[in-house]
């Protein structure tokens, strides 16, 4: 095997499913618990252990919570060098643990943080990394089947990595349900192992001068979403006003984003984000497969479209045939009236 392909390894030496628990200032990113629930399924299928990896400063509580949420054990790297997040210390610590402990599967949230440092682990470890996955499974041999959109979202690719380890994947937020923690936390601390911190502040290549939080909305956390498509015809004011009345967020299809009507961070679909709100209002959206992939986990879907034969109605709990520029303002007025009465 050539040097570019990496060293020869025995894949039988690698086992267990690892989930990276992303956190900021001691609070776990929701995708971490989503991946832990999916990781539990994969580990049960392969007959291996589920291991949570927690990196940060004063974050032992998250390692214990990971155990209550299904991890067989948690590895804890706890040191001030890990707060706030920087790619170099995180990547070096993770890489060292991967090379020493030899996990078979490693799952990382497809967030800005996860995407930033996953490659810093995969490249030096000669691992196989599939990015931006929306589906995960294992085959009869225990190989990870990591699926992700490709060709602009028009097709799905399922990727296997038979010769390299670990099998790594970054996974979109919102595509899996997070499991609930166990009511009892007794003995959770006993399943947490503090590991050696292999990086020091003087060895890091970057320094954080200032951390500014905000500016980019995360629609994956929204309970209510009002989404618009080509039917908006450039006017998203009805969407914004209804979302404000409902206390929700505005989202859009790829077509609406490409037209510049809505910012890219609010795109839902195979090439956007996956959302699972309690209420999803699809206004002026035809119902293309690419968009449905991003919102089909919604609890209740309300569709508004002038075309009674639009595919979106087949996936909606409630449908309104009409012009969104007339329907949404009427809904907004009703919501505001109800709230005024309740107040």
């Amino acid at each position: 095997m050539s040097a570019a392909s990496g060293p020869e390894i025995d894949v039988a030496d690698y086992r267990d499913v690892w989930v990276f628990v992303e956190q900021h200032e001691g609070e776990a990113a929701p995708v971490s618990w989503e991946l832990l629930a999916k990781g539990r399924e994969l580990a049960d299928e392969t007959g291996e252990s589920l291991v949570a990896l927690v990196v940060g400063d004063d974050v032992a509580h998250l390692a214990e919570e990971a155990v209550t949420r299904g991890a067989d054990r948690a590895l804890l790297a706890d040191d001030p060098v890990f707060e706030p997040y920087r790619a170099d210390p995180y990547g070096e610590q993770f890489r060292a643990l991967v090379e020493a402990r030899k996990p078979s599967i490693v799952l990382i949230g497809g967030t800005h943080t996860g995407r930033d440092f996953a490659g810093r682990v995969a490249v030096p470890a000669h691992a196989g990394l599939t990015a931006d996955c929306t589906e995960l499974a294992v085959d009869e041999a225990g190989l990870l089947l990591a699926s992700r959109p490709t060709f602009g979202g028009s097709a799905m690719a399922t990727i296997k990595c038979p010769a390299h380890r670990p099998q790594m994947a970054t996974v979109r937020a919102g595509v899996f349900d997070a499991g609930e923690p166990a009511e009892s936390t007794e003995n959770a601390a006993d399943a947490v192992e503090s590991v050696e911190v292999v990086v020091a502040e003087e060895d890091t290549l970057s320094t954080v001068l200032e951390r500014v939080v905000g500016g980019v909305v995360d629609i994956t956390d929204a309970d209510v979403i009002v989404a618009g498509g080509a039917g908006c015809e450039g006017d998203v004011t009805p969407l914004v006003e209804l979302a404000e009345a409902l206390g929700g967020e505005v989202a859009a299809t790829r077509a609406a984003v490409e037209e510049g009507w809505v910012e890219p961070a609010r795109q839902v679909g195979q090439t956007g984000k996956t959302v699972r709100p309690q209420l999803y209002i699809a206004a002026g959206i035809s119902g293309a497969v690419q968009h449905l992939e991003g919102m089909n986990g919604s609890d209740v879907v309300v569709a508004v479209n002038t075309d009674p034969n639009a595919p979106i109605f087949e996936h909606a709990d409630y449908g309104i045939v009409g012009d969104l520029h007339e329907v949404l303002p009427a809904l907004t007025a009703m919501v505001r009236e109800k709230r005024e009465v309740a107040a």
Side-chain angles (χ1 to χ4, degrees):
M1 180 176 291
S2 67
S5 302
E8 294 276 0
I9 64 167
D10 185 351
V11 296
D13 292 338
Y14 293 74
R15 58 180 296 106
D16 296 338
V17 177
W18 281 20
V19 171
F20 170 62
V21 179
E22 179 182 336
Q23 62 80 32
H24 298 280
E25 297 181 348
E27 183 175 348
V31 68
S32 301
W33 304 141
E34 295 166 12
L35 291 184
L36 203 64
K38 186 61 179 180
R40 180 71 273 166
E41 294 179 15
L42 299 179
D44 289 343
E45 289 189 48
T46 60
E48 299 173 335
S49 295
L50 175 63
V51 181
L53 177 59
V54 181
V55 180
D57 181 26
D58 194 20
V59 289
H61 63 287
L62 294 180
E64 294 180 18
E65 183 174 354
V67 174
T68 69
R69 287 179 176 269
D72 294 301
R73 63 184 189 277
L75 303 179
L76 172 64
D78 201 306
D79 192 275
V81 73
F82 300 122
E83 187 62 43
Y85 165 78
R86 289 172 293 175
D88 41 338
Y90 265 67
E92 180 63 19
Q93 183 68 45
F94 206 141
R95 182 196 61 77
L97 286 170
V98 162
E99 292 183 347
R101 306 291 181 109
K102 293 182 169 55
S104 178
I105 295 172
V106 175
L107 306 180
I108 301 171
T111 62
H112 293 297
T113 296
R115 292 168 178 163
D116 188 41
F117 86 90
R120 290 174 176 261
V121 179
V123 172
H126 300 284
L129 173 61
T130 306
D132 202 30
C133 297
T134 57
E135 298 176 21
L136 298 173
V138 290
D139 66 10
E140 299 82 359
L143 285 175
L144 179 67
L145 305 177
S147 301
R148 54 153 296 153
T150 187
F151 295 113
S154 61
M156 292 290 290
T158 298
I159 300 169
K160 293 198 296 186
C161 184
H164 291 264
R165 292 293 184 276
Q167 305 161 90
M168 296 179 62
T170 59
V171 185
R172 287 191 195 181
V175 298
F176 302 121
D177 289 321
E180 294 296 326
E183 293 184 5
S184 174
T185 59
E186 185 178 0
N187 300 324
D190 295 339
V192 176
E193 177 188 351
S194 293
V195 300
E196 178 187 3
V197 175
V198 300
V199 293
E201 185 61 45
E202 57 268 24
D203 298 326
T204 60
L205 302 176
S206 60
T207 300
V208 177
L209 300 179
E210 181 181 11
R211 184 168 182 260
V212 179
V213 180
V216 179
V217 68
D218 186 1
I219 59 174
T220 62
D221 291 335
D223 292 328
V224 176
I225 289 177
V226 182
C232 292
E233 298 179 343
D235 182 9
V236 297
T237 301
L239 278 67
V240 174
E241 292 180 346
L242 181 55
E244 289 178 348
L246 292 170
E249 294 288 351
V250 171
T253 63
R254 179 178 178 179
V257 168
E258 289 182 342
E259 288 290 343
W261 304 338
V262 179
E263 61 185 315
R266 296 180 181 272
Q267 181 179 330
V268 172
Q270 284 187 344
T271 53
K273 294 183 177 178
T274 301
V275 296
R276 306 172 74 91
Q278 296 175 11
L279 173 63
Y280 190 89
I281 300 176
I285 295 174
S286 64
V289 172
Q290 290 89 341
H291 183 75
L292 295 174
E293 283 292 323
M295 46 74 66
N296 60 13
S298 305
D299 290 342
V300 176
V301 176
V302 177
V304 181
N305 202 292
T306 56
D307 180 6
N309 297 314
I312 189 67
F313 287 121
E314 299 178 9
H315 303 271
D317 298 283
Y318 302 94
I320 302 173
V321 178
D323 187 338
L324 70 89
H325 297 94
E326 297 175 0
V327 174
L328 296 197
L331 291 176
T332 300
M334 291 174 59
V335 171
R336 289 172 176 169
E337 182 181 351
K338 292 289 186 181
R339 291 198 165 181
E340 287 177 3
V341 171

